[in-house]
Amino acid sequence: MTRDDSAQVTAILALLAAPLAAVWAWRQGLGTLTSAEVAGLVYGAVASLVGSKLRAPLGAVVVTSVKYAAITAAYSVWLAVAALYAGWRLLRGRTPKGAFL
């Protein structure tokens, strides 16, 4: 496994663990700020522990995480805009024939 592969694996695991930790903290009745702190702590712990086992440089893990988060956010915005546009066209009655059967 190359250093780039190990950084990508570590970033993906850390990005998956952080929201799960935030949801867990929120379900335990902790506040929004505390849930964010728990997510940050879990992200750092997973990045450090998994990164050290896979010999991934921490800087590369953080940069890869930011890149993946930005791609995910851009895709989410694109989906929201597409859904709003499709809904607007549907409400206006300007859909192509047979589009919503």
Side-chain angles (χ1 to χ4, degrees), residues 6-95:
S6 61
Q8 288 178 357
V9 168
T10 304
I12 290 170
L13 290 176
L15 284 174
L16 289 175
L20 291 175
V23 168
W24 174 84
W26 182 67
R27 301 260 307 151
Q28 296 300 319
L30 301 175
T32 308
L33 182 62
T34 308
S35 298
E37 291 170 349
V38 168
L41 288 173
V42 168
Y43 172 82
V46 169
S48 297
L49 295 174
V50 174
S52 66
K53 294 294 182 189
L54 295 178
R55 300 183 191 277
L58 189 57
V61 171
V62 171
V63 168
T64 304
S65 296
V66 169
K67 179 177 69 172
Y68 288 167
I71 290 170
T72 303
Y75 183 67
S76 299
V77 168
W78 179 80
L79 280 178
V81 169
L84 287 172
Y85 180 70
W88 179 74
R89 296 236 0 198
L90 181 63
L91 289 175
R92 293 286 189 192
R94 296 181 182 165
T95 58

